[in-house]
Amino acid sequence: MSKTLKAVGLAAIAILFLMGPSLTPPISYSINLKYEIVPDQDSMPGGGVKLTWSTPYSSPGDIVSGGCKGGTVYTEEQEDWQYIITLDGVDVDTVDQQGEHYEDQVYYVYTPCATIEAWPYCDGEKYGYGEKIEFRTEEESSFEIWTVEDFNYEYSRYPSGFGFDHSGSPYDYYVSYGGYWAAIDYYVDTDFVLHAGIDHDPSLNGRESSISREEGSYDELGTLKGFNEENYQVSQQLEEGGLYGLRIEPRASGLRPAEEIHYGKLEVVAIDGEKITLKILYQYEPEFRWVVGGVPPK
Protein backbone atom coordinates (compact mmCIF):
# COMPACT_ATOMS: atom_id res chain seq x y z
CA MET A 1 0.00 0.00 0.00
CA SER A 2 1.31 3.44 -0.88
CA LYS A 3 2.09 6.05 1.75
CA THR A 4 -0.78 8.17 0.38
CA LEU A 5 -3.33 5.37 0.85
CA LYS A 6 -2.03 4.69 4.36
CA ALA A 7 -2.47 8.37 5.27
CA VAL A 8 -6.01 8.42 3.88
CA GLY A 9 -6.87 5.29 5.80
CA LEU A 10 -5.59 6.68 9.10
CA ALA A 11 -7.50 9.90 8.54
CA ALA A 12 -10.72 7.97 7.94
CA ILE A 13 -10.23 5.98 11.14
CA ALA A 14 -9.65 9.19 13.08
CA ILE A 15 -12.91 10.69 11.71
CA LEU A 16 -14.89 7.58 12.66
CA PHE A 17 -13.32 7.67 16.12
CA LEU A 18 -14.35 11.27 16.65
CA MET A 19 -17.89 10.59 15.40
CA GLY A 20 -18.33 7.66 17.74
CA PRO A 21 -19.78 7.74 21.28
CA SER A 22 -17.93 9.95 23.79
CA LEU A 23 -15.44 8.13 25.94
CA THR A 24 -15.03 8.28 29.71
CA PRO A 25 -13.64 11.63 30.95
CA PRO A 26 -10.17 11.33 32.47
CA ILE A 27 -10.07 10.78 36.21
CA SER A 28 -9.08 14.07 37.87
CA TYR A 29 -8.86 15.04 41.52
CA SER A 30 -7.63 18.62 40.96
CA ILE A 31 -9.36 21.15 43.24
CA ASN A 32 -7.80 24.47 42.15
CA LEU A 33 -7.01 25.65 45.69
CA LYS A 34 -6.99 29.46 46.13
CA TYR A 35 -6.76 31.85 49.07
CA GLU A 36 -7.22 35.43 50.21
CA ILE A 37 -6.25 37.29 53.37
CA VAL A 38 -9.29 38.07 55.57
CA PRO A 39 -9.87 40.58 58.40
CA ASP A 40 -9.67 39.48 62.01
CA GLN A 41 -11.79 40.51 64.96
CA ASP A 42 -10.21 43.99 64.95
CA SER A 43 -11.22 44.46 61.30
CA MET A 44 -7.56 44.68 60.35
CA PRO A 45 -5.79 42.60 57.67
CA GLY A 46 -3.82 39.55 58.70
CA GLY A 47 -6.19 37.71 60.98
CA GLY A 48 -6.68 34.65 58.84
CA VAL A 49 -6.86 33.02 55.43
CA LYS A 50 -9.97 32.19 53.43
CA LEU A 51 -9.52 29.04 51.35
CA THR A 52 -11.68 28.23 48.34
CA TRP A 53 -11.53 25.21 46.07
CA SER A 54 -13.64 23.28 43.59
CA THR A 55 -14.85 19.74 44.03
CA PRO A 56 -12.87 17.27 41.88
CA TYR A 57 -14.07 16.56 38.34
CA SER A 58 -14.30 12.89 39.31
CA SER A 59 -16.60 11.95 42.15
CA PRO A 60 -16.05 9.32 44.85
CA GLY A 61 -18.56 7.24 42.86
CA ASP A 62 -15.82 6.73 40.28
CA ILE A 63 -13.69 5.22 42.99
CA VAL A 64 -16.37 2.73 44.03
CA SER A 65 -16.86 1.67 40.42
CA GLY A 66 -13.17 1.18 39.82
CA GLY A 67 -12.74 4.15 37.53
CA CYS A 68 -9.70 5.41 39.40
CA LYS A 69 -8.03 2.03 38.92
CA GLY A 70 -8.92 1.10 35.36
CA GLY A 71 -9.85 4.51 34.00
CA THR A 72 -12.57 2.99 31.79
CA VAL A 73 -15.63 2.79 34.06
CA TYR A 74 -17.70 5.86 34.85
CA THR A 75 -20.73 6.07 37.15
CA GLU A 76 -23.34 8.77 37.53
CA GLU A 77 -23.31 8.32 41.30
CA GLN A 78 -22.40 11.64 42.90
CA GLU A 79 -21.17 10.72 46.33
CA ASP A 80 -19.94 13.62 48.44
CA TRP A 81 -16.24 14.16 48.99
CA GLN A 82 -14.59 15.07 52.23
CA TYR A 83 -11.38 17.14 52.42
CA ILE A 84 -8.35 17.04 54.67
CA ILE A 85 -6.80 20.38 55.75
CA THR A 86 -3.09 20.19 56.55
CA LEU A 87 -1.07 22.95 58.27
CA ASP A 88 2.72 22.73 58.18
CA GLY A 89 2.52 19.03 57.33
CA VAL A 90 0.03 18.11 60.10
CA ASP A 91 -3.57 17.05 59.32
CA VAL A 92 -5.76 19.31 61.44
CA ASP A 93 -9.32 19.01 60.14
CA THR A 94 -11.67 16.93 58.00
CA VAL A 95 -14.20 19.02 56.07
CA ASP A 96 -17.48 17.65 54.72
CA GLN A 97 -18.68 18.48 51.22
CA GLN A 98 -20.65 21.73 51.19
CA GLY A 99 -23.63 22.06 48.86
CA GLU A 100 -24.14 20.21 45.61
CA HIS A 101 -21.41 18.37 43.75
CA TYR A 102 -19.06 20.69 41.78
CA GLU A 103 -19.89 23.74 43.90
CA ASP A 104 -17.00 25.73 45.36
CA GLN A 105 -15.94 24.88 48.90
CA VAL A 106 -14.94 27.44 51.57
CA TYR A 107 -12.79 27.04 54.70
CA TYR A 108 -11.16 29.58 57.05
CA VAL A 109 -7.75 29.13 58.69
CA TYR A 110 -6.90 31.23 61.76
CA THR A 111 -3.89 29.23 62.98
CA PRO A 112 -0.63 30.95 61.89
CA CYS A 113 1.44 28.63 59.73
CA ALA A 114 3.81 28.64 56.77
CA THR A 115 2.06 26.09 54.53
CA ILE A 116 -1.57 25.04 53.98
CA GLU A 117 -2.64 21.97 52.01
CA ALA A 118 -6.07 20.62 51.04
CA TRP A 119 -6.67 17.03 49.89
CA PRO A 120 -9.75 15.27 48.46
CA TYR A 121 -10.61 12.50 50.91
CA CYS A 122 -12.92 9.49 50.73
CA ASP A 123 -13.38 6.32 52.77
CA GLY A 124 -10.20 6.84 54.80
CA GLU A 125 -7.94 7.66 51.86
CA LYS A 126 -6.50 10.83 50.32
CA TYR A 127 -6.75 11.15 46.53
CA GLY A 128 -4.68 13.00 43.99
CA TYR A 129 -2.03 15.38 45.20
CA GLY A 130 -2.52 17.78 48.07
CA GLU A 131 -2.62 21.30 46.66
CA LYS A 132 -0.40 23.63 48.66
CA ILE A 133 -0.20 27.32 49.59
CA GLU A 134 3.20 28.51 50.77
CA PHE A 135 3.69 31.81 52.57
CA ARG A 136 7.16 32.98 51.65
CA THR A 137 9.36 34.60 54.28
CA GLU A 138 12.93 35.85 54.43
CA GLU A 139 14.89 35.43 57.66
CA GLU A 140 18.25 36.66 58.92
CA SER A 141 19.33 35.11 62.23
CA SER A 142 22.40 37.24 62.96
CA PHE A 143 22.10 40.75 61.52
CA GLU A 144 24.46 43.39 62.97
CA ILE A 145 24.11 47.16 63.09
CA TRP A 146 25.58 49.89 65.31
CA THR A 147 24.22 52.98 67.01
CA VAL A 148 24.32 56.02 64.74
CA GLU A 149 27.21 58.45 64.97
CA ASP A 150 27.02 62.21 64.82
CA PHE A 151 24.90 63.19 61.81
CA ASN A 152 27.39 65.96 61.04
CA TYR A 153 30.08 63.42 60.25
CA GLU A 154 30.42 62.84 56.55
CA TYR A 155 31.13 59.16 57.13
CA SER A 156 30.50 56.74 60.00
CA ARG A 157 32.67 53.80 60.88
CA TYR A 158 29.76 51.37 61.07
CA PRO A 159 26.29 51.13 59.50
CA SER A 160 23.39 52.06 61.78
CA GLY A 161 20.43 51.76 59.43
CA PHE A 162 18.86 48.91 57.50
CA GLY A 163 16.30 48.39 54.79
CA PHE A 164 14.66 45.52 52.91
CA ASP A 165 15.17 44.82 49.21
CA HIS A 166 12.43 43.52 46.88
CA SER A 167 12.97 39.93 48.10
CA GLY A 168 12.71 40.88 51.77
CA SER A 169 16.42 40.56 52.58
CA PRO A 170 17.74 43.17 55.05
CA TYR A 171 20.79 45.25 54.11
CA ASP A 172 22.74 47.64 56.32
CA TYR A 173 23.37 51.28 55.39
CA TYR A 174 25.19 54.34 56.69
CA VAL A 175 22.75 56.98 57.90
CA SER A 176 25.50 59.60 57.67
CA TYR A 177 25.57 59.24 53.88
CA GLY A 178 22.52 60.85 52.29
CA GLY A 179 22.82 58.73 49.18
CA TYR A 180 21.56 55.73 51.19
CA TRP A 181 18.53 57.40 52.75
CA ALA A 182 16.07 56.19 50.14
CA ALA A 183 16.94 52.58 51.03
CA ILE A 184 16.73 52.87 54.83
CA ASP A 185 13.57 51.60 56.54
CA TYR A 186 14.90 51.82 60.14
CA TYR A 187 17.92 53.13 62.06
CA VAL A 188 19.20 53.06 65.66
CA ASP A 189 20.26 56.21 67.53
CA THR A 190 22.87 56.60 70.29
CA ASP A 191 20.26 55.82 72.97
CA PHE A 192 19.47 52.43 71.37
CA VAL A 193 16.09 53.62 70.09
CA LEU A 194 14.93 52.05 66.83
CA HIS A 195 13.39 54.67 64.53
CA ALA A 196 11.44 54.41 61.31
CA GLY A 197 13.06 56.39 58.51
CA ILE A 198 10.29 58.98 58.67
CA ASP A 199 11.24 59.70 62.33
CA HIS A 200 14.35 61.62 61.32
CA ASP A 201 14.88 65.32 60.73
CA PRO A 202 14.73 65.58 57.80
CA SER A 203 12.81 62.42 56.93
CA LEU A 204 15.06 59.85 55.31
CA ASN A 205 12.53 58.99 52.62
CA GLY A 206 8.94 59.73 53.66
CA ARG A 207 7.80 56.10 53.88
CA GLU A 208 5.48 55.55 56.84
CA SER A 209 6.97 52.46 58.45
CA SER A 210 6.43 51.84 62.18
CA ILE A 211 7.25 49.46 65.05
CA SER A 212 5.23 47.55 67.66
CA ARG A 213 6.29 46.04 70.97
CA GLU A 214 5.38 42.33 71.08
CA GLU A 215 5.23 39.78 73.90
CA GLY A 216 6.51 36.22 74.22
CA SER A 217 9.33 34.54 72.35
CA TYR A 218 10.47 35.02 68.75
CA ASP A 219 9.76 31.42 67.73
CA GLU A 220 6.30 31.35 69.34
CA LEU A 221 5.14 34.69 67.94
CA GLY A 222 2.79 33.80 65.08
CA THR A 223 0.67 36.93 64.53
CA LEU A 224 1.66 40.55 65.10
CA LYS A 225 -0.60 43.08 66.76
CA GLY A 226 -3.22 44.76 64.62
CA PHE A 227 -2.23 48.08 63.17
CA ASN A 228 -3.37 51.21 64.99
CA GLU A 229 -1.69 54.27 66.49
CA GLU A 230 -1.55 52.69 69.94
CA ASN A 231 0.13 49.46 68.84
CA TYR A 232 2.58 50.90 66.31
CA GLN A 233 4.89 53.87 66.82
CA VAL A 234 7.60 55.47 64.71
CA SER A 235 10.17 54.55 67.39
CA GLN A 236 10.69 51.94 70.12
CA GLN A 237 13.35 51.57 72.80
CA LEU A 238 15.46 48.49 72.11
CA GLU A 239 16.27 46.10 74.94
CA GLU A 240 18.33 42.94 74.87
CA GLY A 241 15.91 40.05 74.42
CA GLY A 242 13.16 42.45 73.31
CA LEU A 243 10.65 41.38 70.67
CA TYR A 244 9.20 43.80 68.12
CA GLY A 245 6.90 43.87 65.12
CA LEU A 246 7.75 45.76 61.95
CA ARG A 247 5.18 47.40 59.70
CA ILE A 248 7.16 48.18 56.59
CA GLU A 249 6.32 50.41 53.67
CA PRO A 250 9.13 49.23 51.40
CA ARG A 251 10.65 50.94 48.41
CA ALA A 252 8.69 50.58 45.19
CA SER A 253 10.38 48.50 42.52
CA GLY A 254 9.56 46.75 39.30
CA LEU A 255 8.54 43.74 41.41
CA ARG A 256 6.55 45.63 44.04
CA PRO A 257 4.10 48.54 43.80
CA ALA A 258 4.40 51.76 45.77
CA GLU A 259 2.74 51.93 49.21
CA GLU A 260 2.57 48.15 49.56
CA ILE A 261 2.68 47.23 53.25
CA HIS A 262 4.59 44.24 54.63
CA TYR A 263 5.08 42.96 58.17
CA GLY A 264 8.00 41.35 59.97
CA LYS A 265 9.31 40.55 63.42
CA LEU A 266 12.58 41.46 65.10
CA GLU A 267 14.38 40.19 68.20
CA VAL A 268 17.34 41.89 69.87
CA VAL A 269 19.67 38.92 70.29
CA ALA A 270 22.49 40.87 71.97
CA ILE A 271 23.80 44.36 72.70
CA ASP A 272 27.59 44.55 72.91
CA GLY A 273 28.84 48.07 73.37
CA GLU A 274 27.41 49.97 70.41
CA LYS A 275 26.86 46.81 68.35
CA ILE A 276 23.37 45.33 68.19
CA THR A 277 22.70 41.81 66.89
CA LEU A 278 19.22 41.25 65.53
CA LYS A 279 17.13 38.33 64.34
CA ILE A 280 14.71 39.47 61.63
CA LEU A 281 11.87 37.85 59.67
CA TYR A 282 10.09 39.49 56.71
CA GLN A 283 6.67 38.30 55.52
CA TYR A 284 6.49 38.51 51.73
CA GLU A 285 2.68 38.37 51.54
CA PRO A 286 1.36 41.99 51.52
CA GLU A 287 -0.82 43.13 54.44
CA PHE A 288 -0.31 39.80 56.24
CA ARG A 289 0.59 39.77 59.93
CA TRP A 290 1.47 36.08 60.20
CA VAL A 291 5.19 35.85 60.94
CA VAL A 292 5.85 32.12 60.96
CA GLY A 293 9.11 31.06 59.32
CA GLY A 294 8.18 29.69 55.93
CA VAL A 295 9.40 29.21 52.40
CA PRO A 296 12.15 31.62 51.22
CA PRO A 297 11.26 33.78 48.20
CA LYS A 298 12.02 32.19 44.84
Side-chain angles (χ1 to χ4, degrees), residues 254-268:
L255 301 177
R256 186 168 51 197
E259 300 180 358
E260 183 178 271
I261 300 299
H262 288 259
Y263 285 89
K265 63 181 175 181
L266 177 152
E267 179 187 31
V268 179

Side-chain angles (χ1 to χ4, degrees), residues 193-219:
V193 175
L194 180 67
H195 298 265
I198 198 172
D199 193 34
H200 180 271
D201 189 16
S203 172
L204 298 183
N205 46 54
R207 295 194 299 274
E208 296 184 359
S209 299
S210 53
I211 312 143
S212 66
R213 185 64 189 258
E214 302 288 339
E215 304 298 329
S217 70
Y218 179 94
D219 291 336

Side-chain angles (χ1 to χ4, degrees), residues 57-171:
Y57 183 84
S58 302
S59 72
D62 301 325
I63 300 167
V64 174
S65 300
C68 66
K69 296 181 169 49
T72 57
V73 180
Y74 182 72
T75 176
E76 294 300 325
E77 295 179 34
Q78 299 293 296
E79 296 184 16
D80 287 341
W81 282 102
Q82 289 182 303
Y83 304 91
I84 296 290
I85 304 299
T86 300
L87 306 183
D88 289 339
V90 179
D91 295 344
V92 298
D93 201 0
T94 302
V95 183
D96 291 332
Q97 179 82 24
Q98 303 169 22
E100 298 296 327
H101 196 65
Y102 301 132
E103 288 187 357
D104 284 344
Q105 309 300 301
V106 178
Y107 184 85
Y108 290 86
V109 178
Y110 290 101
T111 302
C113 59
T115 61
I116 301 174
E117 291 178 89
W119 298 76
Y121 178 78
C122 180
D123 196 24
E125 186 175 354
K126 295 177 180 177
Y127 284 86
Y129 298 93
E131 296 189 18
K132 182 183 292 187
I133 295 165
E134 299 176 323
F135 297 113
R136 295 155 40 186
T137 61
E138 184 72 23
E139 193 166 16
E140 175 61 58
S141 61
S142 185
F143 185 80
E144 296 179 347
I145 56 173
W146 284 256
T147 56
V148 72
E149 295 189 21
D150 192 324
F151 291 132
N152 294 322
Y153 289 177
E154 184 176 359
Y155 296 102
S156 296
R157 293 175 56 198
Y158 302 107
S160 54
F162 64 94
F164 298 92
D165 70 359
H166 69 270
S167 70
S169 298
Y171 286 87

Side-chain angles (χ1 to χ4, degrees), residues 3-75:
K3 293 183 178 179
T4 302
L5 290 176
K6 284 185 178 179
V8 172
L10 291 173
I13 292 172
I15 292 172
L16 290 173
F17 179 82
L18 293 173
M19 293 176 61
S22 59
L23 300 179
T24 303
I27 299 299
S28 172
Y29 304 122
S30 172
I31 61 174
N32 192 27
L33 180 64
K34 298 178 181 179
Y35 74 97
E36 61 181 281
I37 307 305
V38 298
D40 61 9
Q41 63 270 20
D42 298 322
S43 298
M44 299 304 300
V49 177
K50 178 183 178 181
L51 304 178
T52 58
W53 66 87
S54 304
T55 55
Y57 183 84
S58 302
S59 72
D62 301 325
I63 300 167
V64 174
S65 300
C68 66
K69 296 181 169 49
T72 57
V73 180
Y74 182 72
T75 176

